[in-house]
């Protein structure tokens, strides 16, 4: 794979082969032909549906208890604060211990957190500080669960199917997002929030069963990092010396911190701007999930990952968010959530697969923990800040601010990558539409001078 620093660099794929030497299957769902990954995928879609139910219900519960978009932001921030503080240590643990065993422990712990919140809510004793505490505990478990789960994919499918499996993981998550919010909206309106939390807690039995049923002999062996000092610094030095890793991570850091605060914005637009209830809030999340699912499936069909696509998608994502913030009607706002979901997922998958495929397997846990720390760990900064902006200046200003920061980050990092790769931006008019491309910078010819 390429380690070129330019904005147009991409991993170079060799023809995929099976262990027997024949050609591996290619297609949107090719990695599902692998039994271990098929089990993983099936268990994940059940728990992901429960997770989305719990996320929507949690946001609505906090808004009901406090009446504040900033409180929703604080809840989100607490859930991601451990990733910011301890995320890199989670990567060291993921590289050091068997990932399947780590996931058995972490998935069980996530299920117990869901059951605890269900017990508090169904008993009528829930207070906002309970939600804050459980959100923080969920974040602590995720510190280990995230890098272990992300890097375990390569052990299940191998390098040839890695990009496809990463895309299908996102499609899995977004498919659950289509169902989870809709079911949550019905449960909140019909029987109360506690039942949604209970279903979420029980849903983790599915991935636990999947992990237990896997054939460990069919996993791709990865050399684990031995115990030793300096492993954290080693991971940071590795990323710092690789422009093709560090700049995608920086870009998704800005997007994740400022552009992905949808729990804040969608609750605020539902309550303050369009004055709709929990059912419609779930519907808005479902529309965004539909776009995200389309983006994930399109990514699964692509055979290459280019940093150029990442930069352009991030810029388009910012523009779409600004357009949605200024939408005069509910239906225009709702329809714009579909392409926002699609392009946002394209940004995430492109960056994720580019970073994983360019990373040595022995370093993947630490690199992916840094990726997730930057992508999700910025939420404790962005969520309260944009929650305050939303409460103070209104939902439209808060949403537009997130879009403008995303657009500015894409523009600046695109220019940085172009400069590193000795590229320039070329603008042209093709088939009646403007076209923006990165092209090699041609050195000026030296004019011959008379002696």
């Amino acid at each position: 794979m390429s380690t070129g620093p330019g904005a147009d660099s991409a991993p170079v794929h060799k023809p995929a082969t099976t262990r027997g030497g024949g050609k591996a299957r290619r297609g949107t769902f090719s990695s599902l032909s692998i039994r271990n990954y098929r089990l993983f995928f099936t268990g994940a879609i059940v728990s992901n549906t429960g997770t989305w139910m719990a996320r929507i219900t949690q946001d609505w519960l906090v808004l009901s208890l406090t009446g504040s978009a900033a409180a929703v932001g604080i809840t989100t921030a607490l859930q991601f604060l451990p990733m910011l503080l301890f995320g890199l240590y989670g990567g060291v643990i993921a590289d050091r211990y068997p990932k399947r065993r780590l996931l058995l422990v972490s998935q069980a712990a996530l299920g117990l957190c869901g059951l605890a919140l269900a017990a508090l809510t169904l008993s009528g004793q829930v207070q906002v500080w309970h939600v804050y505490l459980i959100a923080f505990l969920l974040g602590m478990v995720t510190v280990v669960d995230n890098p272990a789960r992300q890097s375990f994919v390569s052990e299940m499918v191998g390098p040839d199917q890695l990009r496809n499996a990463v895309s299908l993981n996102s499609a899995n998550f977004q498919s659950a997002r289509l169902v989870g919010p809709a079911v949550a909206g019905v449960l909140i309106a019909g029987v109360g929030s506690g039942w949604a939390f209970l279903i979420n807690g029980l849903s983790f039995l599915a991935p636990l069963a999947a992990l237990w049923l896997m054939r460990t002999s069919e996993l791709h062996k990865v050399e684990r990092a031995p115990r030793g000092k300096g492993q954290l610094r080693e991971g940071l030095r590795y990323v710092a010396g690789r422009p093709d890793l560090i700049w995608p991570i920086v870009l998704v850091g800005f997007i994740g911190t400022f552009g992905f605060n949808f729990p804040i914005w969608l609750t605020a637009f539902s309550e303050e701007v369009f004055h709709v209830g929990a059912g419609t809030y779930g519907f808005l999340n479902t529309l965004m999930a539909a776009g995200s699912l389309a983006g994930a499936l399109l990514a699964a069909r692509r055979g290459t990952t280019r940093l150029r696509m990442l930069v352009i998608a991030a810029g388009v994502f910012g523009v779409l968010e600004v357009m949605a913030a200024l939408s005069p009607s509910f239906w225009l706002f709702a329809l714009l959530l579909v392409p926002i979901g699609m392009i946002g997922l394209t940004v995430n998958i492109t960056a994720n697969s580019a970073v994983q495929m360019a990373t040595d397997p022995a370093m993947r846990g630490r690199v992916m923990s840094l990726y997730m720390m930057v992508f999700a760990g910025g939420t404790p900064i962005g969520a309260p800040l944009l929650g305050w902006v939303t409460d103070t200046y209104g939902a439209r200003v808060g949403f537009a601010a997130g879009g403008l920061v995303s657009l500015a980050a894409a523009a600046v990092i695109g220019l940085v990558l172009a400069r590193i790769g000795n590229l320039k931006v070329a603008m042209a008019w093709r088939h009646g539409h403007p076209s923006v491309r990165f092209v090699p910078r041609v050195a000026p010819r030296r004019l011959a001078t008379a002696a």
Side-chain angles (χ1 to χ4, degrees):
M1 60 185 66
S2 168
T3 58
D8 208 20
S9 64
V12 177
H13 299 278
K14 296 181 180 179
T17 58
T18 64
R19 289 185 179 182
K23 281 192 174 182
R25 287 183 57 193
R26 286 294 187 190
T28 304
F29 302 101
S30 57
S31 53
L32 288 176
S33 62
I34 300 168
R35 179 184 181 276
N36 283 342
Y37 181 70
R38 194 162 59 245
L39 284 168
F40 180 86
F41 186 92
T42 304
I45 200 166
V46 176
S47 65
N48 284 338
T49 301
T51 296
W52 273 112
M53 290 174 59
R55 282 191 180 187
I56 301 304
T57 308
Q58 174 184 279
D59 297 338
W60 200 259
L61 176 62
V62 170
L63 193 66
S64 301
L65 291 171
T66 65
S68 170
V72 177
I74 291 170
T75 308
T76 305
L78 286 170
Q79 191 161 338
F80 290 104
L81 181 63
M83 184 64 70
L84 178 64
L85 298 178
F86 311 113
L88 291 176
Y89 296 98
V92 172
I93 293 171
D95 279 339
R96 184 179 294 171
Y97 297 102
K99 296 175 182 61
R100 178 173 164 273
R101 294 180 189 173
L102 287 175
L103 288 172
L104 283 167
V105 175
S106 64
Q107 292 289 298
L110 291 172
L112 289 174
C113 286
L115 292 175
L117 189 53
L120 287 167
T121 308
L122 288 171
S123 66
Q125 302 300 313
V126 70
Q127 299 177 36
V128 70
W129 73 266
H130 294 142
V131 185
Y132 287 166
L133 175 61
I134 291 176
F136 183 78
L137 292 176
L138 284 169
M140 289 296 295
V141 177
T142 304
V143 165
V144 175
D145 182 80
N146 245 326
R149 184 162 34 85
Q150 297 264 353
S151 53
F152 186 54
V153 174
S154 65
E155 294 188 22
M156 288 185 286
V157 303
D160 292 331
Q161 294 284 3
L162 178 58
R163 192 187 190 289
N164 179 263
V166 168
S167 299
L168 287 184
N169 280 353
S170 295
N172 185 320
F173 192 65
Q174 300 308 324
S175 298
R177 190 177 176 187
L178 283 171
V179 180
V183 175
V186 172
L187 288 175
I188 293 169
V191 295
S193 301
W195 291 99
F197 294 133
L198 177 62
I199 293 172
N200 172 52
L202 295 175
S203 72
F204 284 93
L205 291 172
L208 288 171
L211 289 163
W212 190 261
L213 291 171
M214 285 184 183
R215 296 171 182 162
T216 55
S217 61
E218 295 179 8
L219 295 174
H220 292 253
K221 301 300 181 184
V222 173
E223 183 180 351
R224 293 199 298 270
R227 285 179 173 273
K229 294 182 178 180
Q231 291 178 330
L232 190 58
R233 290 192 300 272
E234 181 185 8
L236 292 174
R237 283 197 301 268
Y238 178 81
V239 174
R242 296 282 300 278
D244 58 331
L245 295 179
I246 193 168
W247 289 112
I249 290 174
V250 170
L251 179 55
V252 298
F254 276 100
I255 300 292
T257 300
F258 298 102
F260 270 73
N261 290 287
F262 297 111
I264 298 169
W265 297 323
L266 295 188
T267 51
F269 267 83
S270 297
E271 280 279 296
E272 301 169 12
V273 180
F274 299 121
H275 309 290
V276 294
T280 305
Y281 171 61
F283 170 69
L284 293 177
N285 278 276
T286 299
L287 285 175
M288 183 172 288
S292 299
L293 176 60
L297 292 176
L298 287 172
R301 293 186 63 86
R302 287 196 297 267
T304 59
T305 299
R306 293 186 179 275
L307 297 184
R308 175 179 63 189
M309 179 183 294
L310 172 63
V311 171
I312 292 172
V316 173
F317 177 76
V319 171
L320 287 171
E321 287 199 330
V322 174
M323 290 174 61
L326 301 177
S327 298
S329 69
F330 170 81
W331 285 110
L332 179 58
F333 176 82
L335 289 174
L336 281 170
L337 293 179
V338 176
I340 287 174
M342 184 172 69
I343 301 300
L345 222 285
T346 299
V347 172
N348 192 3
I349 290 176
T350 304
N352 187 310
S353 56
V355 169
Q356 285 213 54
M357 294 170 72
T359 302
D360 294 335
M363 301 292 295
R364 195 166 279 141
R366 278 164 284 183
V367 172
M368 292 312 297
S369 70
L370 177 62
Y371 176 92
M372 292 306 302
M373 185 189 78
V374 172
F375 180 63
T379 302
I381 300 170
L385 176 60
L386 288 170
W388 174 80
V389 171
T390 300
D391 276 345
T392 305
Y393 300 103
R396 294 189 185 277
V397 174
F399 203 174
L404 289 172
V405 172
S406 300
L407 178 59
V412 171
I413 291 174
L415 291 174
V416 169
L417 287 169
R419 184 178 181 84
I420 292 173
N422 195 31
L423 305 171
K424 66 178 181 178
V425 178
M427 302 184 67
W429 197 265
R430 294 171 176 267
H431 308 295
H433 299 285
S435 172
V436 180
R437 296 183 303 150
F438 289 109
V439 298
R441 191 185 301 274
V442 179
R445 294 180 179 176
R446 292 185 178 180
L447 297 177
T449 55

